[in-house]
Amino acid sequence: MYSQLCSYENLFSAYQKARRHKTKKQYVIEFERELENNLLQLRADLLFLAYRPEPLKTFIIREPKTRKISKSAFRDRVVHHALCNIIEPIFENSFIYDSYANRKGKGVLKAINRFEYFKRKVSRNLTPLKEGNGIKGFVLKADIRKFFDSVSHEVLMNIIKSKIADEKVLWLIRLILNNHHSNEHGTGMPLGNLTSQFFANVYLNELDYFIKHKLKSEYYIRYVDDFVILHKSKEMLEYYKKEISQFLENNLSISLHSDKSDVFSLYRGVNFLGLKIFSYHKAIQKRNIRKFRNKLEVLCEFYDKAEISYDGVYNSLEGWNAYTKNANCFSLKKKLFAGIAKKFENEISDKEINRCLNLLKCP
């Protein structure tokens, strides 16, 4: 397995993934000047176990909440992709269907649609609530307290060892984990790393199996450390919450966030993945609108400095447009996109060109 990880073909594939949407970044340009030599040197370092990651660069973001993001050097990001190329398929087969973060064919939109489907299933044939005429049933909405800071390296490595026996691959994983320095030795993963996103799914897959197979919960969805369980019985969800709390503390050395984990009626509306989901409509949370506006300003600034192409701007706007299709926000979208449409009125993306060409080919 390790020799496959270190192959030039795998490293080149990893480089291509690491550079995606970053082709105009200076660190990518510098790496590409001696691309073959850089990849061959990286391969040699990995093969002889001489590879050492560079210290992480950290910075603070304050939208939608204050968080410390850690950024790896581009060379190290190539290694992260090379590792995930090899081990991700092994674990992907064991992940449950309703885990939606950082997986091909999943994502926020699929998770929201699944929530809507579960909501209809739970409320079917239930009598209306006394509090109102809205959707019926209950939800346990929960997340994990300081998840990325609390992950136990020992617990994670034991989970990984259950599927991977190659000692050199395990050595590389430990090296990546230990490159992050936290207040408590042997804990934590950096926000912003590809490997952290993948390891989060590996770690919390244990929770997924406990909820689906031990508690026999039918209507469960997880997106990173944010999860919901829907049920017609409030008492059953309170029982689930207690059992989940004990499982997390005893088996994974993490805990539920006491202020963000609660059971309540679905008719009240549920904050889930940036949307407020009510009985008959969905609204975008105000913090996500602020976040998009700030991101838009940064994108325009990068574009004006020629640090990103219009394709990069277009891809970001296309993602936001797809996300907002799940909410009732026509007026908001019109207002947000009015200025940006004028700024880029003379631009056209590769995707738009390809769509036009495909239309011309149609009989």
Side-chain angles (χ1 to χ4, degrees), residues 249-287:
E249 292 177 8
N250 296 337
N251 296 77
L252 297 179
S253 300
I254 51 180
S255 59
L256 287 179
H257 198 302
S258 58
D259 296 333
K260 298 181 180 179
S261 303
D262 200 7
V263 176
F264 50 87
S265 301
L266 281 166
Y267 84 91
R268 283 173 45 187
V270 182
N271 289 321
F272 187 52
L273 302 180
L275 296 183
K276 181 81 170 183
I277 305 174
F278 294 98
S279 302
Y280 302 107
H281 76 282
K282 299 183 286 293
I284 300 175
Q285 291 179 318
K286 290 182 179 179
R287 68 178 188 180

Side-chain angles (χ1 to χ4, degrees), residues 104-304:
K104 292 179 181 178
K106 300 292 182 177
V108 172
L109 303 183
K110 293 287 182 68
I112 292 170
N113 290 337
R114 188 67 162 170
F115 181 93
E116 289 281 324
Y117 172 73
F118 283 169
K119 187 175 67 173
R120 292 193 297 269
K121 296 280 284 187
V122 167
S123 63
R124 187 176 299 167
N125 299 326
L126 290 179
T127 55
L129 295 167
K130 293 180 181 179
E131 295 89 338
N133 295 319
I135 199 77
K136 302 172 285 294
F138 298 87
V139 60
L140 166 59
K141 171 72 171 62
D143 73 8
I144 295 164
R145 183 179 179 275
K146 296 183 178 179
F147 171 68
F148 281 93
D149 288 335
S150 305
V151 166
S152 165
H153 294 181
E154 181 182 1
V155 172
L156 176 60
M157 290 304 300
N158 286 336
I159 296 170
I160 291 171
K161 285 177 183 177
S162 68
K163 292 188 176 295
I164 294 177
D166 191 314
E167 285 296 333
K168 291 181 179 179
V169 174
L170 296 174
W171 164 82
L172 181 59
I173 293 171
R174 288 193 195 95
L175 196 63
I176 293 170
L177 290 173
N178 291 334
N179 194 41
H180 172 66
H181 302 290
S182 61
N183 294 331
E184 186 177 348
H185 180 70
T187 63
M189 299 188 297
L191 275 171
N193 271 11
L194 170 71
T195 49
S196 298
Q197 298 167 8
F198 172 68
F199 291 149
N201 276 340
V202 172
Y203 204 85
L204 291 177
N205 192 48
E206 303 295 306
L207 172 65
D208 298 341
Y209 269 74
F210 176 75
I211 292 175
K212 295 293 290 184
H213 298 290
K214 295 293 183 181
L215 298 182
K216 307 292 184 182
S217 174
E218 190 173 358
Y219 305 120
Y220 164 71
I221 301 169
R222 181 178 63 79
Y223 193 94
V224 194
D225 61 329
D226 190 4
F227 64 91
V228 292
I229 306 177
L230 289 76
H231 203 280
K232 63 182 180 180
S233 166
K234 183 177 181 180
E235 290 73 22
M236 182 59 75
L237 289 177
E238 293 286 3
Y239 167 73
Y240 285 169
K241 180 183 175 183
K242 180 181 177 182
E243 292 294 310
I244 290 168
S245 180
Q246 291 179 355
F247 174 82
L248 291 174
E249 292 177 8
N250 296 337
N251 296 77
L252 297 179
S253 300
I254 51 180
S255 59
L256 287 179
H257 198 302
S258 58
D259 296 333
K260 298 181 180 179
S261 303
D262 200 7
V263 176
F264 50 87
S265 301
L266 281 166
Y267 84 91
R268 283 173 45 187
V270 182
N271 289 321
F272 187 52
L273 302 180
L275 296 183
K276 181 81 170 183
I277 305 174
F278 294 98
S279 302
Y280 302 107
H281 76 282
K282 299 183 286 293
I284 300 175
Q285 291 179 318
K286 290 182 179 179
R287 68 178 188 180
N288 275 27
I289 297 171
R290 289 197 306 271
K291 182 181 178 181
F292 175 71
R293 282 185 169 136
N294 291 340
K295 184 176 182 179
L296 202 54
E297 288 181 10
V298 172
L299 285 171
C300 290
E301 184 181 333
F302 283 168
Y303 174 82
D304 291 338

Side-chain angles (χ1 to χ4, degrees), residues 1-8 10-11 41-52 79 82-83 86-87 90 164-176:
M1 183 181 290
Y2 191 70
S3 60
Q4 185 182 356
L5 188 157
C6 298
S7 70
Y8 187 86
N10 185 46
L11 291 176
Q41 182 61 57
L42 183 56
R43 181 171 186 267
D45 289 346
L46 287 167
L47 284 171
F48 290 102
L49 306 184
Y51 166 74
R52 296 294 181 272
V79 174
L83 173 65
I86 302 303
I87 69 172
I90 298 170
I164 294 177
D166 191 314
E167 285 296 333
K168 291 181 179 179
V169 174
L170 296 174
W171 164 82
L172 181 59
I173 293 171
R174 288 193 195 95
L175 196 63
I176 293 170

Side-chain angles (χ1 to χ4, degrees), residues 17-33:
K17 291 180 179 180
R19 76 190 286 269
R20 194 170 295 164
H21 307 312
K22 299 178 179 67
T23 54
K24 294 195 175 182
K25 294 287 187 180
Q26 189 59 37
Y27 55 78
V28 175
I29 294 171
E30 290 178 3
F31 191 88
E32 289 176 336
R33 282 178 185 148

